[in-house]
Amino acid sequence: MQQLNAKQKTFFDEEGYLVVENLLTVEETAYYSNLYASFLDNRIDASRYRSDLSGGDNKEEKITQIMVPSKLVPDLVHKPLHQKTLAMAKELMGNDIELDFDMLINKAPYTDTITPWHQDAAYWIDMPDKRAASCWVAIDHAYKENGCMWYTPKSHLSPILPHEQTGNKGALKCEGSEENSVYIELRPGSCVFHQGGTLHYSRGNSTSDNRRAFITNFRPKAMIQLEREKGVDHTGERQIRTK
């Protein structure tokens, strides 16, 4: 299994994100691509966990989000994507790190809808141990025109910015800019880790390609237990963290 070096770990700590090329093999990526299609076309019924992050009342989803796919396909947690990203998350943050939740986010062709600037931590309750990371795995080629991710380096080192909600239960948003940020283009099967406080966004998809991502999120086991005790399992309505 792929291992991270000291330089990569330091970059993640200091910059707030880390690119890992070729996380998945071609064959593994094909498996997830086929599975993803089963979620999107409802062969796997994810209706209770599915929403449109654009927050609009559109007949067609612009930014499809499907939470906790591994609840619907439990064997996923034993497959390469979950196992490899968990191993790396432990390398980056410690051996007490576990999977908190997973999700799928797709920008369909020509939907041209941004995912606004935000920090993932704005969605979460405040916790005494703030270690957290998401791993964004590209299932399709992700590039600027179809909505690859942008990150603001070192933004995780500052307090969480004020956030507000977009549209009807849409994504949270805050102030951010491409001018002081970097975009990360990924080939299928490559990934980028980012910390819970790292400011990020993506442009809309103006191309004929899908932009599908499979995302795993990690934090300390004790903090996951604390979340569950407070009724947080990441499947409910989005709420802005106020303190």
Side-chain angles (χ1 to χ4, degrees):
M1 188 172 291
Q2 189 173 0
Q3 292 184 317
L4 302 176
N5 58 43
K7 185 176 179 179
Q8 288 173 304
K9 295 174 187 177
T10 298
F11 188 92
F12 178 76
D13 289 341
E14 294 180 352
E15 302 299 321
Y17 69 96
L18 176 69
V19 177
V20 179
E21 301 285 359
N22 302 315
L23 174 80
L24 303 175
T25 67
V26 172
E27 293 76 16
E28 288 166 350
T29 303
Y31 164 79
Y32 289 104
S33 180
N34 291 332
L35 180 73
Y36 213 119
S38 297
F39 277 102
L40 290 178
D41 66 15
N42 295 311
R43 281 176 283 159
I44 299 173
D45 181 10
S47 55
R48 58 183 165 149
Y49 301 131
R50 184 169 181 155
S51 62
D52 185 350
L53 271 177
S54 73
D57 296 318
N58 312 294
K59 291 183 179 179
E60 294 185 4
E61 294 165 340
K62 293 187 175 181
I63 308 175
T64 301
Q65 181 184 54
I66 298 174
M67 297 300 299
V68 293
S70 62
K71 282 194 173 184
L72 299 172
V73 184
D75 195 43
L76 275 174
V77 297
H78 305 296
K79 297 287 187 181
L81 187 152
H82 284 70
Q83 290 296 302
K84 292 179 181 181
T85 58
L86 174 59
M88 289 183 180
K90 287 179 179 288
E91 287 189 73
L92 291 171
M93 297 186 292
N95 287 329
D96 61 336
I97 296 297
E98 298 292 346
L99 176 72
D100 190 357
F101 63 94
D102 53 7
M103 62 178 166
L104 312 178
I105 297 180
N106 177 52
K107 292 193 172 189
Y110 303 119
T111 46
D112 206 15
T113 303
I114 70 164
T115 301
W117 288 102
H118 68 283
Q119 294 158 294
D120 291 343
Y123 285 96
W124 306 330
I125 62 172
D126 196 10
M127 285 172 274
D129 187 337
K130 302 186 186 306
R131 286 177 294 158
S134 294
C135 184
W136 198 99
V137 184
I139 304 303
D140 304 299
H141 180 201
Y143 51 101
K144 277 200 291 188
E145 292 76 15
N146 77 344
C148 73
M149 299 295 287
W150 290 70
Y151 297 98
T152 306
K154 303 185 188 302
S155 54
H156 66 300
L157 302 176
S158 301
I160 298 172
L161 296 167
H163 285 67
E164 61 183 11
Q165 197 160 56
T166 58
N168 178 25
K169 301 178 182 179
L172 302 185
K173 66 178 181 178
C174 67
E175 291 297 320
S177 173
E178 290 185 359
E179 292 184 4
N180 61 340
S181 303
V182 295
Y183 65 89
I184 305 296
E185 296 186 326
L186 295 172
R187 301 300 305 178
S190 293
C191 70
V192 56
F193 283 85
H194 68 266
Q195 301 208 31
T198 302
L199 186 61
H200 58 287
Y201 112 120
S202 61
R203 294 180 179 179
N205 183 358
S206 60
T207 77
S208 60
D209 298 327
N210 273 293
R211 194 235 60 183
R212 296 174 296 169
F214 200 129
I215 300 158
T216 46
N217 181 273
F218 305 96
R219 69 177 77 248
K221 182 178 180 179
M223 295 300 98
I224 297 172
Q225 292 173 341
L226 178 62
E227 285 181 320
R228 302 301 184 266
E229 289 168 4
K230 293 181 177 293
V232 177
D233 65 1
H234 303 284
T235 62
E237 293 185 4
R238 299 177 189 86
Q239 296 181 352
I240 301 171
R241 201 185 90 190
T242 57
K243 63 179 181 178

